Amino acid sequence: MPNLIPFARAATAACLAAVLAFVVMASAHAAPAPSLPHGNAAVGQKLYQSCMGCHSLDENDVGPRHRGVVGRPAASVPGYAYSTALRKSGLVWTPDVLDRWLTNPQKLVPGAKMYFSVANPNNRADIIAYLSQQR
Amino acid sequence: MDMFDRRGMLRCMGWAGTGALFTLGGGIPGSITLDAALGATPKPGFSFLQISDTHLGFNKPANPDPLGTLKEVIAKAKALPVRPDFIIHTGDVTHLATPEQFDLAQQMLGEFGVPIHVVPGEHDIVDGNDPRPFLDRFGRAARGEGWYSFDAGGAHFVALVNSIHLGDRGMGTLGEAQLAWLGQDLAGRSASTPIIVFAHFPLWDLYSDWGWGTADGAQALSLLKRFGSVTVLNGHIHQVQQKIEGDLTFHTARSTAYPQPAPGEGAGPGPLVLPSVQLRSAIGLRSVTLRQGAGPIAITDTPLA
């Protein structure tokens, strides 16, 4: 735990800097704002630990395995018993949809069987950035 | 047979300084293994065992045979010179909450031969957030979503359920209905009644980055503050962790199945694979002895080997 604190602090600072840079950029160019903050995959790898009580990259467990999840249709891992709700959702796990899922899976897919959420948008972006790399 | 390293010893001594003793061994601030306890003279007093995170149905390398290690725990418990008054199980009885796993769990927990009080872990409620399949098997005296209380050995026991609605980063949640019930349950009790609370997730913020805490745990703790002796026992973490906060002491128990890494160390809060000879030093059970009168509560954590 102690060795993680400076790391987490640095990570927060990095996120803050990223968000600030983004705000400055957005206002300077008045470009349409992308809907997600940029994630930091290295931080995401740490944060992904909180998913590991139920998931891993390569094995189905309480939840389905995650390798390659970004861009794939929901409920498409063979051998995992998904909820009917998620199977019928018709969703594709784009970063944006993943962000909504991690914000509140029950709101995105009522009747899904994941009861776990990540409140902080930067944390979500970091986790999604990490998952995007796990091809 | 000496299971305590220097760090463990110092931790125990720190404990003694604040009024709780790891005794069973005659008031010496230190601990003895269950094997040593087996040879000790039986002492009168009320005692119970805590087991946790049996994860029946788990089959990964961290412990391919959690049924086998549970059987070892049962054998140790049955060989104790003083029969415990009951057992509490702080959740994750099964790994995936299937009917088959529940059947096996009921059968195995029956083998202890003493009453057993159980709270669910999140692995016992895998399909959605309906605790009924679990409560139908293990929740006889429960109310609401499974919480209950009872008196035994001069103490008041409170079983809380914080594993059904998971909050931010997977932290446990008690919810308003349960907190309201807890307030009523504690109201009117004398502040000198020893209170023993048990739940699956820790009620203190052990390591919230890994969800090792209870989002609204502080509200429960504030209801408990006025009592002179509050002991909070939990599972979920699969290792012994302790904290003292005023008159509140918190104890996280080992699993009977597999260990997890120390908070913030290593890959994450999942099964930790140890060399197989080390597994039994990282899993085990706990015994708790209450003295009649104002004596301290004695807590002994015992690994399987």
Side-chain angles (χ1 to χ4, degrees):
Chain A
M1 176 161 29
N3 60 350
L4 200 77
I5 289 166
F7 174 80
R9 200 178 289 139
T12 314
C15 288
L16 214 80
V19 169
L20 282 177
F22 165 70
V23 168
V24 169
M25 239 171 57
S27 52
H29 302 287
S35 55
L36 293 177
H38 281 294
N40 176 331
V43 177
Q45 178 169 18
K46 284 265 172 196
L47 295 170
Y48 182 73
Q49 297 177 352
S50 67
C51 320
M52 290 172 62
C54 299
H55 292 278
S56 72
L57 289 175
D58 295 308
E59 273 182 282
N60 291 336
D61 193 358
V62 175
R65 63 173 180 264
H66 271 154
R67 191 175 297 285
V69 68
V70 178
R72 108 185 148 202
S76 58
V77 168
Y80 179 79
Y82 289 98
S83 65
T84 314
L86 193 63
R87 271 192 281 115
K88 295 199 167 151
S89 68
L91 294 173
V92 172
W93 295 123
T94 61
D96 186 57
V97 173
L98 276 170
D99 184 66
R100 284 156 63 206
W101 173 256
L102 295 179
T103 306
N104 187 344
Q106 298 303 310
K107 190 166 166 220
L108 182 67
V109 183
K113 57 174 189 172
M114 172 162 143
Y115 294 85
F116 180 88
S117 58
V118 182
N120 181 317
N122 291 319
N123 290 350
R124 292 197 300 271
D126 294 342
I127 291 169
I128 294 163
Y130 168 71
L131 285 175
S132 307
Q133 293 182 350
Q134 311 310 309
R135 298 263 126 231
Chain B
M1 271 299 96
D2 187 8
M3 73 192 215
F4 270 87
D5 57 4
R6 219 179 125 71
R7 213 165 115 227
M9 191 64 190
L10 288 172
R11 194 167 61 213
C12 294
M13 293 177 65
W15 254 73
T18 58
L21 290 176
F22 286 67
T23 54
L24 272 181
I28 300 151
S31 290
I32 53 175
T33 63
L34 197 58
D35 290 320
L38 291 175
T41 338
K43 267 193 220 126
F46 171 86
S47 72
F48 64 94
L49 300 181
Q50 180 189 1
I51 60 168
S52 201
D53 297 270
T54 41
H55 280 269
L56 292 174
F58 181 84
N59 59 5
K60 300 215 176 113
N63 181 356
D65 185 18
L67 176 60
T69 49
L70 176 58
K71 284 181 177 163
E72 291 176 38
V73 167
I74 293 170
K76 287 223 166 201
K78 286 179 110 161
L80 283 169
V82 180
R83 196 177 144 92
D85 289 78
F86 54 78
I87 293 173
I88 64 175
H89 190 313
T90 41
D92 284 357
V93 176
T94 65
H95 192 59
L96 292 174
T98 61
E100 299 73 33
Q101 291 176 5
F102 280 151
D103 284 347
L104 180 63
Q106 274 187 308
Q107 186 198 328
M108 292 316 296
L109 297 186
E111 300 264 311
F112 280 103
V114 294
I116 180 151
H117 303 282
V118 188
V119 287
E122 81 285 4
H123 282 266
D124 297 316
I125 311 165
V126 165
D127 260 318
N129 56 5
D130 180 3
R132 271 173 303 180
F134 176 88
L135 295 179
D136 287 347
R137 313 272 193 144
F138 302 105
R140 286 172 301 275
R143 311 163 192 234
E145 290 182 310
W147 49 84
Y148 56 94
S149 69
F150 58 92
D151 294 313
H156 183 61
F157 287 76
V158 184
L160 296 179
V161 178
N162 51 7
S163 56
I164 298 180
H165 307 281
L166 302 188
D168 185 26
R169 286 159 299 166
M171 266 194 281
T173 309
L174 293 160
E176 283 182 12
Q178 185 166 203
L179 286 164
W181 168 83
L182 179 64
Q184 284 162 17
D185 183 75
L186 296 173
R189 283 181 204 281
S190 149
S192 63
T193 314
I195 308 284
I196 296 178
V197 179
F198 57 106
H200 181 62
F201 283 77
L203 284 187
W204 49 295
D205 191 339
L206 201 169
Y207 194 63
S208 46
D209 281 3
W210 284 3
W212 287 358
T214 300
D216 50 4
Q219 291 179 58
L221 299 182
S222 72
L223 293 168
L224 290 160
K225 279 228 163 78
R226 70 180 177 88
F227 292 92
S229 159
V230 180
T231 306
V232 186
L233 306 174
N234 66 272
H236 191 58
I237 312 302
H238 295 221
Q239 61 193 284
V240 175
Q241 293 277 343
Q242 289 146 359
K243 185 185 161 164
I244 301 169
E245 207 176 279
D247 296 322
L248 274 61
T249 65
F250 301 90
H251 300 264
T252 289
R254 288 191 179 94
S255 163
T256 68
Y258 60 86
Q260 294 197 125
E265 281 176 26
L272 178 67
V273 181
L274 294 177
S276 57
V277 292
Q278 283 174 30
L279 172 64
R280 282 170 178 72
S281 65
I283 58 178
L285 74 170
R286 159 179 289 164
S287 76
V288 182
T289 305
L290 274 69
R291 303 279 157 63
Q292 302 301 334
I297 291 173
I299 296 186
T300 309
D301 282 297
T302 309
L304 259 186

